[in-house]
Structures are given as C-alpha cells and as structure tokens.
Amino acid sequence: MNRRRLPLLGLRAFEATARHLSVSHAAAELCVTPGAVSQQVKLLEDLVGVPLLRRKGRSVELTDAGQVLCPALTQAFQTIELTLNVIARGSRHDTLKLCLLPTLAEKWLVPRLSRFHGSHSHLDIQLMTSFREIRFEAEDVDMASFMGKDLPDGLEGLRLFDDAFQPVCSPAYLRDNCQLTETADLAEATLLHSVRRMDDWPRWLSLAGAPQLRPQRSLSFENSSLAIQAAIDGLGVAMVQCAYVKEPLKVGALVAPFDLIGQGDNGYYLVWSTSRSKSPAFQSFLQWVRQEVGRGAN
C-alpha cells in the first residue's frame, strides 16, 4: 500500500480497540465516540479487504489478520511516542511536567506553589490533571500522582499524606439547616459525595456506629474538589480527605461537626520512573515537596 494512502485514523482506532479488546475503551482513550471508532475500523477493513475484528456483543476479538497487524502497529506507535518524547525532553530547559489527580492538584499542590516559585522563579511547572495511570516510558511526564498501598514496579515515590477522611460543612449550613450534635442527626442532612469515593460515607458511618443511617437526600459530584466546594457553598455535609480541607477549616470556611476521622489503608504519593534521569528541575522540586511534607503542611 502506498504510504500516502495509509489510513492513519483507522490504524489508530484499530490498534486501540485491539489492545483493549473494547470499542468503548478505545473511544475513551482516543477522546472520540464508540461509533467513530467502529466507523474508522470498518473503513480500514474495507481498504485492506479482510476483517480485522469480530464483534461479540459488547466485546471484540481479533481475527487472524488482526493478530498479525496489532503487534506491528503497537510497536510502531510506541517507537513514534518514544522518539517524540526524547525530542521534547531534549528541547526543554528548567521545566517540570506533572500529571496529578484533579483534587490533589487543586487542593494540595496549587495552594503551595507560591512558596516554591518564591525561591525557584527560574523553573517552570506544567501541571496537567487526569485520573488515568501515567505510562512514564511513553509519555512526556516527569512526575505523577498515585493512590494505593504499594508502589508499582519501576516507580519510586514520596508519600504525601494518608487516606484520612471526615465530614465537613459550612458554618451557615450548620446554623440554618440542622444541628449536628450526634451521628443520628445526619439523617436530616444532605450528604455530599465524590463519585470516585462512594464508599467513604458508609465506612465513616460504620465507624460511628450508624451503618444503617439513611439521609433524606444526597448529591454526588465528579470529584472531591467539587464536593468540597459544594460544602463551602452550603449545599450539605461532604465526606472529604482531611489533607484537602485544612486551610478551609483553619479560616472558618468549613467546620468539622464530628471529631471522628476515618482512616483508609491507601496513601497518596508523588511518583516517578526509576529509569528516567533526574534533571536539576526535578531534584529541586522533589526537595521542596519533601520539605512541605516534613513541615507538616499537608
């Protein structure tokens, strides 16, 4: 096939689908609709003249031709990624790229960055947010966040804080809606959740001796940052990680009506690849984060 006629969109769609064995997962990775992925794969199959995938309900499997094509494409795309990353890293000067969980970036790191830039004004920080796991071998990212018990192979990390959580609300909500003097009073409250941490309220209520408590109403949000803001705005009582609300509690934007704090097994980490060389910008930033953690500012 002539190089000028290579169906690059179809090749990307097929490779992602074959790697995940899922059209929907491929669509999420490529930031398109499942229908667009299926259409591109169909155009590729029409062009090469053989089926590459078999559709089985919501799942797919590779045909013989697909099994031949998939590893070749994956290797080719990885080679392109690695080459571009090498070029990008070689052209960067005093720049550090971070990819963190959204709430960790917004509620933990960003409020502290002024202290870092006060003494490292020559260093640039490029901060991205994502819930996905970062592949350091194929992405131009220096550091990322990780939540878990043990670090994956090939990664080093610094533990930022423990997974501790507690209920919080605004003083106005406590004054105008319900007096939370005991756990049972939460049945009259609006409970605020992060959809990514739906187990926190049941775990805390179980620790508080009220596992069967059912609130009159609840609101769910995409992440903890939105739940925290909803609590500040007086929408209800949010269950949030303690590390994210120390400043709002300190200045009185939030109050903690109960002393009980839930404790999970996981920790929140800043992680990096063991195999990647460490730039001066990397070393300076890591030293500063260690100081932040050590001073008890988290």
PDB file of all heavy atoms in Angstrom, residues 11-12 30 33-34 41 43 49 57 94-95 98-99 105 117 149 179 188 192 200 204-205 250 259 268 270 272 281 292:
ATOM      1  N   LEU A  11      -5.967   3.141  11.511  1.00  0.00           N
ATOM      2  CA  LEU A  11      -4.938   2.348  12.169  1.00  0.00           C
ATOM      3  C   LEU A  11      -4.907   2.628  13.666  1.00  0.00           C
ATOM      4  O   LEU A  11      -4.763   1.712  14.481  1.00  0.00           O
ATOM      5  CB  LEU A  11      -3.570   2.642  11.536  1.00  0.00           C
ATOM      6  CG  LEU A  11      -3.395   2.159  10.091  1.00  0.00           C
ATOM      7  CD1 LEU A  11      -2.091   2.683   9.511  1.00  0.00           C
ATOM      8  CD2 LEU A  11      -3.435   0.629  10.018  1.00  0.00           C
ATOM      9  N   ARG A  12      -5.055   3.902  14.049  1.00  0.00           N
ATOM     10  CA  ARG A  12      -5.090   4.245  15.475  1.00  0.00           C
ATOM     11  C   ARG A  12      -6.319   3.638  16.142  1.00  0.00           C
ATOM     12  O   ARG A  12      -6.239   3.107  17.253  1.00  0.00           O
ATOM     13  CB  ARG A  12      -5.109   5.763  15.661  1.00  0.00           C
ATOM     14  CG  ARG A  12      -3.787   6.464  15.379  1.00  0.00           C
ATOM     15  CD  ARG A  12      -3.871   7.916  15.777  1.00  0.00           C
ATOM     16  NE  ARG A  12      -4.036   8.057  17.216  1.00  0.00           N
ATOM     17  CZ  ARG A  12      -4.577   9.118  17.807  1.00  0.00           C
ATOM     18  NH1 ARG A  12      -5.041  10.121  17.082  1.00  0.00           N
ATOM     19  NH2 ARG A  12      -4.675   9.176  19.113  1.00  0.00           N
ATOM     20  N   LEU A  30      -9.031   7.615  22.867  1.00  0.00           N
ATOM     21  CA  LEU A  30      -8.839   8.496  21.719  1.00  0.00           C
ATOM     22  C   LEU A  30      -9.706   9.752  21.788  1.00  0.00           C
ATOM     23  O   LEU A  30      -9.626  10.604  20.903  1.00  0.00           O
ATOM     24  CB  LEU A  30      -9.155   7.733  20.427  1.00  0.00           C
ATOM     25  CG  LEU A  30      -8.275   6.509  20.143  1.00  0.00           C
ATOM     26  CD1 LEU A  30      -8.765   5.788  18.895  1.00  0.00           C
ATOM     27  CD2 LEU A  30      -6.816   6.903  19.992  1.00  0.00           C
ATOM     28  N   THR A  33     -16.183   9.158  19.978  1.00  0.00           N
ATOM     29  CA  THR A  33     -17.304   8.300  20.319  1.00  0.00           C
ATOM     30  C   THR A  33     -17.031   6.869  19.878  1.00  0.00           C
ATOM     31  O   THR A  33     -16.251   6.635  18.943  1.00  0.00           O
ATOM     32  CB  THR A  33     -18.584   8.788  19.629  1.00  0.00           C
ATOM     33  OG1 THR A  33     -18.424   8.659  18.208  1.00  0.00           O
ATOM     34  CG2 THR A  33     -18.868  10.245  19.976  1.00  0.00           C
ATOM     35  N   PRO A  34     -17.674   5.877  20.523  1.00  0.00           N
ATOM     36  CA  PRO A  34     -17.536   4.498  20.049  1.00  0.00           C
ATOM     37  C   PRO A  34     -17.945   4.324  18.598  1.00  0.00           C
ATOM     38  O   PRO A  34     -17.354   3.532  17.854  1.00  0.00           O
ATOM     39  CB  PRO A  34     -18.451   3.715  20.999  1.00  0.00           C
ATOM     40  CG  PRO A  34     -18.493   4.536  22.245  1.00  0.00           C
ATOM     41  CD  PRO A  34     -18.445   5.958  21.786  1.00  0.00           C
ATOM     42  N   VAL A  41     -12.550   1.724  11.973  1.00  0.00           N
ATOM     43  CA  VAL A  41     -12.095   0.343  11.824  1.00  0.00           C
ATOM     44  C   VAL A  41     -12.743  -0.293  10.598  1.00  0.00           C
ATOM     45  O   VAL A  41     -12.095  -1.024   9.837  1.00  0.00           O
ATOM     46  CB  VAL A  41     -12.406  -0.472  13.091  1.00  0.00           C
ATOM     47  CG1 VAL A  41     -12.094  -1.960  12.871  1.00  0.00           C
ATOM     48  CG2 VAL A  41     -11.605   0.049  14.277  1.00  0.00           C
ATOM     49  N   LEU A  43     -13.768   1.226   7.858  1.00  0.00           N
ATOM     50  CA  LEU A  43     -13.113   1.774   6.671  1.00  0.00           C
ATOM     51  C   LEU A  43     -11.764   1.110   6.433  1.00  0.00           C
ATOM     52  O   LEU A  43     -11.382   0.842   5.285  1.00  0.00           O
ATOM     53  CB  LEU A  43     -12.938   3.290   6.826  1.00  0.00           C
ATOM     54  CG  LEU A  43     -14.224   4.127   6.801  1.00  0.00           C
ATOM     55  CD1 LEU A  43     -13.920   5.579   7.135  1.00  0.00           C
ATOM     56  CD2 LEU A  43     -14.893   4.024   5.432  1.00  0.00           C
ATOM     57  N   GLY A  49      -9.408  -5.209   2.765  1.00  0.00           N
ATOM     58  CA  GLY A  49     -10.137  -6.299   2.149  1.00  0.00           C
ATOM     59  C   GLY A  49     -10.342  -7.529   3.004  1.00  0.00           C
ATOM     60  O   GLY A  49     -10.811  -8.563   2.502  1.00  0.00           O
ATOM     61  N   GLY A  57     -21.238  -9.191  20.814  1.00  0.00           N
ATOM     62  CA  GLY A  57     -21.952  -8.382  21.793  1.00  0.00           C
ATOM     63  C   GLY A  57     -21.220  -7.076  22.029  1.00  0.00           C
ATOM     64  O   GLY A  57     -20.944  -6.338  21.093  1.00  0.00           O
ATOM     65  N   ASP A  94      14.776  23.780  32.223  1.00  0.00           N
ATOM     66  CA  ASP A  94      14.238  24.193  33.518  1.00  0.00           C
ATOM     67  C   ASP A  94      12.709  24.096  33.561  1.00  0.00           C
ATOM     68  O   ASP A  94      12.027  24.979  34.076  1.00  0.00           O
ATOM     69  CB  ASP A  94      14.673  25.628  33.847  1.00  0.00           C
ATOM     70  CG  ASP A  94      16.172  25.737  34.028  1.00  0.00           C
ATOM     71  OD1 ASP A  94      16.778  24.743  34.455  1.00  0.00           O
ATOM     72  OD2 ASP A  94      16.728  26.804  33.733  1.00  0.00           O
ATOM     73  N   THR A  95      12.190  23.019  33.017  1.00  0.00           N
ATOM     74  CA  THR A  95      10.743  22.795  33.002  1.00  0.00           C
ATOM     75  C   THR A  95      10.443  21.430  33.591  1.00  0.00           C
ATOM     76  O   THR A  95      11.121  20.451  33.295  1.00  0.00           O
ATOM     77  CB  THR A  95      10.183  22.864  31.572  1.00  0.00           C
ATOM     78  OG1 THR A  95      10.437  24.152  31.023  1.00  0.00           O
ATOM     79  CG2 THR A  95       8.679  22.607  31.565  1.00  0.00           C
ATOM     80  N   LEU A  98       4.117  17.753  35.380  1.00  0.00           N
ATOM     81  CA  LEU A  98       3.420  16.951  36.385  1.00  0.00           C
ATOM     82  C   LEU A  98       2.039  16.578  35.858  1.00  0.00           C
ATOM     83  O   LEU A  98       1.380  17.376  35.180  1.00  0.00           O
ATOM     84  CB  LEU A  98       3.248  17.741  37.684  1.00  0.00           C
ATOM     85  CG  LEU A  98       4.479  18.414  38.288  1.00  0.00           C
ATOM     86  CD1 LEU A  98       4.076  19.229  39.502  1.00  0.00           C
ATOM     87  CD2 LEU A  98       5.514  17.387  38.666  1.00  0.00           C
ATOM     88  N   CYS A  99       1.594  15.375  36.198  1.00  0.00           N
ATOM     89  CA  CYS A  99       0.225  14.961  35.903  1.00  0.00           C
ATOM     90  C   CYS A  99      -0.352  14.359  37.181  1.00  0.00           C
ATOM     91  O   CYS A  99       0.083  13.285  37.623  1.00  0.00           O
ATOM     92  CB  CYS A  99       0.176  13.948  34.763  1.00  0.00           C
ATOM     93  SG  CYS A  99      -1.511  13.591  34.200  1.00  0.00           S
ATOM     94  N   ALA A 105      -4.164  18.127  42.748  1.00  0.00           N
ATOM     95  CA  ALA A 105      -3.546  19.301  42.136  1.00  0.00           C
ATOM     96  C   ALA A 105      -4.168  20.588  42.674  1.00  0.00           C
ATOM     97  O   ALA A 105      -3.463  21.517  43.069  1.00  0.00           O
ATOM     98  CB  ALA A 105      -3.689  19.228  40.624  1.00  0.00           C
ATOM     99  N   HIS A 117       7.736  28.823  43.945  1.00  0.00           N
ATOM    100  CA  HIS A 117       8.196  29.824  42.979  1.00  0.00           C
ATOM    101  C   HIS A 117       8.892  30.991  43.658  1.00  0.00           C
ATOM    102  O   HIS A 117       9.688  31.695  43.024  1.00  0.00           O
ATOM    103  CB  HIS A 117       7.017  30.323  42.141  1.00  0.00           C
ATOM    104  CG  HIS A 117       6.675  29.420  41.005  1.00  0.00           C
ATOM    105  ND1 HIS A 117       7.511  29.222  39.934  1.00  0.00           N
ATOM    106  CD2 HIS A 117       5.595  28.633  40.771  1.00  0.00           C
ATOM    107  CE1 HIS A 117       6.968  28.373  39.080  1.00  0.00           C
ATOM    108  NE2 HIS A 117       5.808  27.990  39.572  1.00  0.00           N
ATOM    109  N   LYS A 149      -1.590   1.126  48.190  1.00  0.00           N
ATOM    110  CA  LYS A 149      -0.821   0.620  49.328  1.00  0.00           C
ATOM    111  C   LYS A 149       0.657   0.507  48.989  1.00  0.00           C
ATOM    112  O   LYS A 149       1.522   0.904  49.758  1.00  0.00           O
ATOM    113  CB  LYS A 149      -1.363  -0.750  49.748  1.00  0.00           C
ATOM    114  CG  LYS A 149      -2.777  -0.738  50.297  1.00  0.00           C
ATOM    115  CD  LYS A 149      -3.217  -2.141  50.694  1.00  0.00           C
ATOM    116  CE  LYS A 149      -4.639  -2.149  51.207  1.00  0.00           C
ATOM    117  NZ  LYS A 149      -5.102  -3.514  51.585  1.00  0.00           N
ATOM    118  N   GLN A 179     -28.657  20.941  63.358  1.00  0.00           N
ATOM    119  CA  GLN A 179     -27.636  20.948  64.400  1.00  0.00           C
ATOM    120  C   GLN A 179     -27.064  19.528  64.507  1.00  0.00           C
ATOM    121  O   GLN A 179     -27.738  18.613  64.953  1.00  0.00           O
ATOM    122  CB  GLN A 179     -28.242  21.391  65.728  1.00  0.00           C
ATOM    123  CG  GLN A 179     -28.768  22.812  65.715  1.00  0.00           C
ATOM    124  CD  GLN A 179     -27.669  23.820  65.431  1.00  0.00           C
ATOM    125  OE1 GLN A 179     -26.584  23.746  66.011  1.00  0.00           O
ATOM    126  NE2 GLN A 179     -27.943  24.759  64.547  1.00  0.00           N
ATOM    127  N   GLU A 188     -31.056  13.937  58.767  1.00  0.00           N
ATOM    128  CA  GLU A 188     -31.794  15.118  58.325  1.00  0.00           C
ATOM    129  C   GLU A 188     -30.960  15.988  57.391  1.00  0.00           C
ATOM    130  O   GLU A 188     -31.449  17.019  56.919  1.00  0.00           O
ATOM    131  CB  GLU A 188     -32.220  15.952  59.538  1.00  0.00           C
ATOM    132  CG  GLU A 188     -33.019  15.184  60.575  1.00  0.00           C
ATOM    133  CD  GLU A 188     -34.314  14.644  59.989  1.00  0.00           C
ATOM    134  OE1 GLU A 188     -34.951  15.387  59.202  1.00  0.00           O
ATOM    135  OE2 GLU A 188     -34.696  13.502  60.318  1.00  0.00           O
ATOM    136  N   LEU A 192     -23.005  14.890  50.784  1.00  0.00           N
ATOM    137  CA  LEU A 192     -22.316  15.171  49.524  1.00  0.00           C
ATOM    138  C   LEU A 192     -21.241  14.120  49.292  1.00  0.00           C
ATOM    139  O   LEU A 192     -20.453  13.815  50.192  1.00  0.00           O
ATOM    140  CB  LEU A 192     -21.687  16.566  49.565  1.00  0.00           C
ATOM    141  CG  LEU A 192     -22.614  17.706  50.002  1.00  0.00           C
ATOM    142  CD1 LEU A 192     -21.855  19.018  50.049  1.00  0.00           C
ATOM    143  CD2 LEU A 192     -23.819  17.815  49.072  1.00  0.00           C
ATOM    144  N   ASP A 200     -16.776   6.175  51.120  1.00  0.00           N
ATOM    145  CA  ASP A 200     -16.302   6.904  52.295  1.00  0.00           C
ATOM    146  C   ASP A 200     -17.408   7.150  53.318  1.00  0.00           C
ATOM    147  O   ASP A 200     -17.194   6.968  54.522  1.00  0.00           O
ATOM    148  CB  ASP A 200     -15.675   8.234  51.872  1.00  0.00           C
ATOM    149  CG  ASP A 200     -14.291   8.049  51.274  1.00  0.00           C
ATOM    150  OD1 ASP A 200     -13.816   6.899  51.249  1.00  0.00           O
ATOM    151  OD2 ASP A 200     -13.699   9.050  50.835  1.00  0.00           O
ATOM    152  N   TRP A 204     -17.389   5.638  57.093  1.00  0.00           N
ATOM    153  CA  TRP A 204     -17.371   6.529  58.263  1.00  0.00           C
ATOM    154  C   TRP A 204     -18.573   6.258  59.160  1.00  0.00           C
ATOM    155  O   TRP A 204     -18.443   6.206  60.388  1.00  0.00           O
ATOM    156  CB  TRP A 204     -17.349   7.979  57.801  1.00  0.00           C
ATOM    157  CG  TRP A 204     -17.143   8.951  58.931  1.00  0.00           C
ATOM    158  CD1 TRP A 204     -15.948   9.426  59.407  1.00  0.00           C
ATOM    159  CD2 TRP A 204     -18.172   9.535  59.753  1.00  0.00           C
ATOM    160  NE1 TRP A 204     -16.163  10.278  60.459  1.00  0.00           N
ATOM    161  CE2 TRP A 204     -17.512  10.362  60.701  1.00  0.00           C
ATOM    162  CE3 TRP A 204     -19.544   9.444  59.773  1.00  0.00           C
ATOM    163  CZ2 TRP A 204     -18.209  11.096  61.647  1.00  0.00           C
ATOM    164  CZ3 TRP A 204     -20.255  10.169  60.731  1.00  0.00           C
ATOM    165  CH2 TRP A 204     -19.586  10.985  61.653  1.00  0.00           C
ATOM    166  N   LEU A 205     -19.748   6.089  58.573  1.00  0.00           N
ATOM    167  CA  LEU A 205     -20.946   5.817  59.372  1.00  0.00           C
ATOM    168  C   LEU A 205     -20.821   4.503  60.137  1.00  0.00           C
ATOM    169  O   LEU A 205     -21.294   4.385  61.272  1.00  0.00           O
ATOM    170  CB  LEU A 205     -22.177   5.790  58.469  1.00  0.00           C
ATOM    171  CG  LEU A 205     -22.619   7.159  57.915  1.00  0.00           C
ATOM    172  CD1 LEU A 205     -23.692   6.977  56.851  1.00  0.00           C
ATOM    173  CD2 LEU A 205     -23.112   8.060  59.045  1.00  0.00           C
ATOM    174  N   LYS A 250      -9.221  25.990  58.795  1.00  0.00           N
ATOM    175  CA  LYS A 250      -8.440  26.970  59.549  1.00  0.00           C
ATOM    176  C   LYS A 250      -9.047  28.360  59.461  1.00  0.00           C
ATOM    177  O   LYS A 250      -9.105  29.106  60.468  1.00  0.00           O
ATOM    178  CB  LYS A 250      -6.995  26.987  59.028  1.00  0.00           C
ATOM    179  CG  LYS A 250      -6.082  27.965  59.725  1.00  0.00           C
ATOM    180  CD  LYS A 250      -4.671  27.900  59.151  1.00  0.00           C
ATOM    181  CE  LYS A 250      -3.743  28.904  59.815  1.00  0.00           C
ATOM    182  NZ  LYS A 250      -2.368  28.843  59.226  1.00  0.00           N
ATOM    183  N   ASP A 259     -15.638  14.752  65.637  1.00  0.00           N
ATOM    184  CA  ASP A 259     -14.205  14.538  65.830  1.00  0.00           C
ATOM    185  C   ASP A 259     -13.703  13.269  65.140  1.00  0.00           C
ATOM    186  O   ASP A 259     -12.510  13.150  64.857  1.00  0.00           O
ATOM    187  CB  ASP A 259     -13.872  14.445  67.324  1.00  0.00           C
ATOM    188  CG  ASP A 259     -14.102  15.764  68.053  1.00  0.00           C
ATOM    189  OD1 ASP A 259     -13.986  16.820  67.398  1.00  0.00           O
ATOM    190  OD2 ASP A 259     -14.402  15.723  69.254  1.00  0.00           O
ATOM    191  N   TYR A 268      -1.438   8.627  49.480  1.00  0.00           N
ATOM    192  CA  TYR A 268      -1.326   9.444  48.282  1.00  0.00           C
ATOM    193  C   TYR A 268       0.155   9.742  48.058  1.00  0.00           C
ATOM    194  O   TYR A 268       0.844  10.240  48.955  1.00  0.00           O
ATOM    195  CB  TYR A 268      -2.109  10.737  48.441  1.00  0.00           C
ATOM    196  CG  TYR A 268      -3.602  10.556  48.287  1.00  0.00           C
ATOM    197  CD1 TYR A 268      -4.367   9.984  49.307  1.00  0.00           C
ATOM    198  CD2 TYR A 268      -4.245  10.935  47.120  1.00  0.00           C
ATOM    199  CE1 TYR A 268      -5.741   9.813  49.160  1.00  0.00           C
ATOM    200  CE2 TYR A 268      -5.624  10.772  46.968  1.00  0.00           C
ATOM    201  CZ  TYR A 268      -6.354  10.212  47.988  1.00  0.00           C
ATOM    202  OH  TYR A 268      -7.696  10.031  47.844  1.00  0.00           O
ATOM    203  N   LEU A 270       3.490  11.059  45.358  1.00  0.00           N
ATOM    204  CA  LEU A 270       4.081  11.646  44.166  1.00  0.00           C
ATOM    205  C   LEU A 270       5.076  10.612  43.651  1.00  0.00           C
ATOM    206  O   LEU A 270       5.955  10.175  44.406  1.00  0.00           O
ATOM    207  CB  LEU A 270       4.796  12.953  44.511  1.00  0.00           C
ATOM    208  CG  LEU A 270       5.365  13.745  43.337  1.00  0.00           C
ATOM    209  CD1 LEU A 270       4.239  14.292  42.467  1.00  0.00           C
ATOM    210  CD2 LEU A 270       6.246  14.890  43.839  1.00  0.00           C
ATOM    211  N   TRP A 272       7.558   8.728  40.301  1.00  0.00           N
ATOM    212  CA  TRP A 272       8.363   8.959  39.098  1.00  0.00           C
ATOM    213  C   TRP A 272       9.021   7.647  38.695  1.00  0.00           C
ATOM    214  O   TRP A 272       9.083   6.692  39.475  1.00  0.00           O
ATOM    215  CB  TRP A 272       9.423  10.037  39.353  1.00  0.00           C
ATOM    216  CG  TRP A 272      10.300   9.752  40.534  1.00  0.00           C
ATOM    217  CD1 TRP A 272      11.485   9.073  40.549  1.00  0.00           C
ATOM    218  CD2 TRP A 272      10.047  10.131  41.911  1.00  0.00           C
ATOM    219  NE1 TRP A 272      12.000   9.012  41.814  1.00  0.00           N
ATOM    220  CE2 TRP A 272      11.137   9.652  42.677  1.00  0.00           C
ATOM    221  CE3 TRP A 272       9.018  10.829  42.541  1.00  0.00           C
ATOM    222  CZ2 TRP A 272      11.209   9.842  44.043  1.00  0.00           C
ATOM    223  CZ3 TRP A 272       9.094  11.018  43.910  1.00  0.00           C
ATOM    224  CH2 TRP A 272      10.170  10.530  44.645  1.00  0.00           C
ATOM    225  N   ALA A 281      15.772  20.524  37.634  1.00  0.00           N
ATOM    226  CA  ALA A 281      14.431  20.977  37.987  1.00  0.00           C
ATOM    227  C   ALA A 281      13.700  19.911  38.797  1.00  0.00           C
ATOM    228  O   ALA A 281      13.017  20.210  39.782  1.00  0.00           O
ATOM    229  CB  ALA A 281      13.644  21.313  36.720  1.00  0.00           C
ATOM    230  N   GLU A 292       7.827  20.304  52.298  1.00  0.00           N
ATOM    231  CA  GLU A 292       6.424  20.568  52.571  1.00  0.00           C
ATOM    232  C   GLU A 292       5.804  19.443  53.399  1.00  0.00           C
ATOM    233  O   GLU A 292       5.060  19.694  54.354  1.00  0.00           O
ATOM    234  CB  GLU A 292       5.649  20.717  51.249  1.00  0.00           C
ATOM    235  CG  GLU A 292       5.923  21.994  50.510  1.00  0.00           C
ATOM    236  CD  GLU A 292       5.374  23.188  51.255  1.00  0.00           C
ATOM    237  OE1 GLU A 292       4.156  23.210  51.528  1.00  0.00           O
ATOM    238  OE2 GLU A 292       6.161  24.115  51.574  1.00  0.00           O
TER     239      GLU A 292
END
